[in-house]
Amino acid sequence: MAWYDKDSWLTAALAPTPSTIALTLFVALVLPILVHLFLYRQAAPTALPTFVLVGPSGGGKTALLTLAERKTVAQTHTSTAPLAIEALLPSDVVPASSHYRAPGDPAYERARRFLLLDTPGHGKLRHFATTQLINPTNVRGIIFVVDAASVAEEAGLNEAAEYLHDVLLALQKRYTGAPTSKGPKAIPVLIAANKLDLFTALPPHLVRIQLERAVSTVRKSRAKGLKDSGVALGGEDDGLDQEREWLGEGGEGHFEFQHMEEVGTGVVVKGGNVIGGDGTDVKSWFEWIGAQL
Ligand SMILES: Nc1nc2c(ncn2[C@@H]2O[C@H](COP(=O)(O)OP(=O)(O)OP(=O)(O)O)[C@@H](O)[C@H]2O)c(=O)[nH]1
Ligand SMILES: [Mg+2]
């Protein structure tokens, strides 16, 4: 049977027979729906962007998490386990990805949701935080909560600086150790100078200066032979060359948070207080979160 015969399949496919019309209609209507469903499933957000709360014990991480969840402050105790909650940006903060969307748009409402992960700040329980840094899943930002009154004293400052040094070094290693030359997606860091309601608290710009100075000291002492910064983070302790163990630029001088931009990590310091006689002031932190969403 040749293709031009009356009962060949090609003639039937082009003829105005009811079965051909029905089949064409079916394909024309059902195929776009199937393609839409397939693409929609693939594009649907699988997990919310996560912000990890890290920082020395007593900084106010759990207090901030409680505030984000319940909109009121509550008494907290030293944490021993990580805790994740789903939070919503305050209505007066606009997520950066939704500047041109109207409130009420489902995509706008979805963009305002995020996960907040609290980790224990005690020295022996920091592995909960550091595993998140070594293998971040959906981590959009790190919030390093520090008590601005405790960094006014040497002991508190040193503890905060050591933890901060390890956090920044872990982020740097993640960046420099990436298999692609483009580097992984940047994870920015917010240093939340908390407890500004206290009389003894340092203002944010001084918290920044003090921490930069103290991190420089930590960096110098680590370089002096303590090659255990990788061990402290639960990472590979050997096989890493000296250069990668060094935070920031190769130079010996003063460390500045600005140096972290070269390894894809923006660091900003913003002040606030979760608890206080005059109410809470956490707006600048939520604005920072909104800028990352
Ligand atoms: N004055 C004042 N106190 C605060 C503020 N934020 C938190 N605190 C208090 O600081 C203490 C420690 O707060 P937490 O939130 O438990 O500290 P944490 O960072 O979770 O500490 P760990 O769980 O041990 O890592 C609590 O007694 C809080 O009430 C603040 O802004 N101002
Ligand atoms: Mg806690």
Side-chain angles (χ1 to χ4, degrees), residues 73-109:
V73 287
Q75 189 58 44
T76 56
H77 304 281
T78 296
S79 311
T80 51
L83 174 68
I85 60 140
E86 194 181 315
L88 202 62
L89 268 190
S91 49
D92 53 346
V93 181
V94 180
S97 63
S98 300
H99 266 300
Y100 301 106
R101 288 189 202 275
D105 181 337
Y108 179 85
E109 300 304 323

Side-chain angles (χ1 to χ4, degrees), residues 8 14 20 28 41 56 101 104-105 111 124 144 161 167 175 200 206 229-230 257 280-281 287 292:
S8 80
L14 296 173
T20 307
R41 286 265 164 77
R101 288 189 202 275
D105 181 337
K124 287 186 180 163
F144 188 90
V167 168
Y175 189 85
T200 48
L206 283 185
S229 53
F257 291 142
T280 67
D281 173 19
E287 278 170 357
Q292 318 303 327

Side-chain angles (χ1 to χ4, degrees), residues 142-227:
I142 309 273
I143 304 177
F144 188 90
V145 184
V146 63
D147 177 346
S150 83
V151 294
E153 287 153 24
E154 207 60 28
L157 178 63
N158 288 343
E159 195 198 347
E162 270 178 31
Y163 196 178
L164 183 61
H165 175 275
D166 291 353
V167 168
L168 295 180
L169 189 61
L171 289 176
Q172 174 178 318
K173 274 187 197 166
R174 169 181 168 271
Y175 189 85
T176 53
T180 58
S181 60
K182 203 167 144 260
K185 201 171 179 313
I187 297 185
V189 177
L190 167 69
I191 298 180
N194 190 24
K195 308 200 188 180
L196 290 194
D197 58 305
L198 296 180
F199 173 68
T200 48
L202 294 183
H205 71 275
L206 283 185
V207 170
R208 179 195 185 99
I209 291 172
Q210 289 285 65
L211 280 176
E212 283 181 341
R213 187 175 61 77
V215 169
S216 306
T217 315
V218 172
R219 178 169 79 162
K220 209 179 267 170
S221 68
R222 290 280 166 90
K224 275 216 180 95
L226 289 168
K227 288 184 191 163

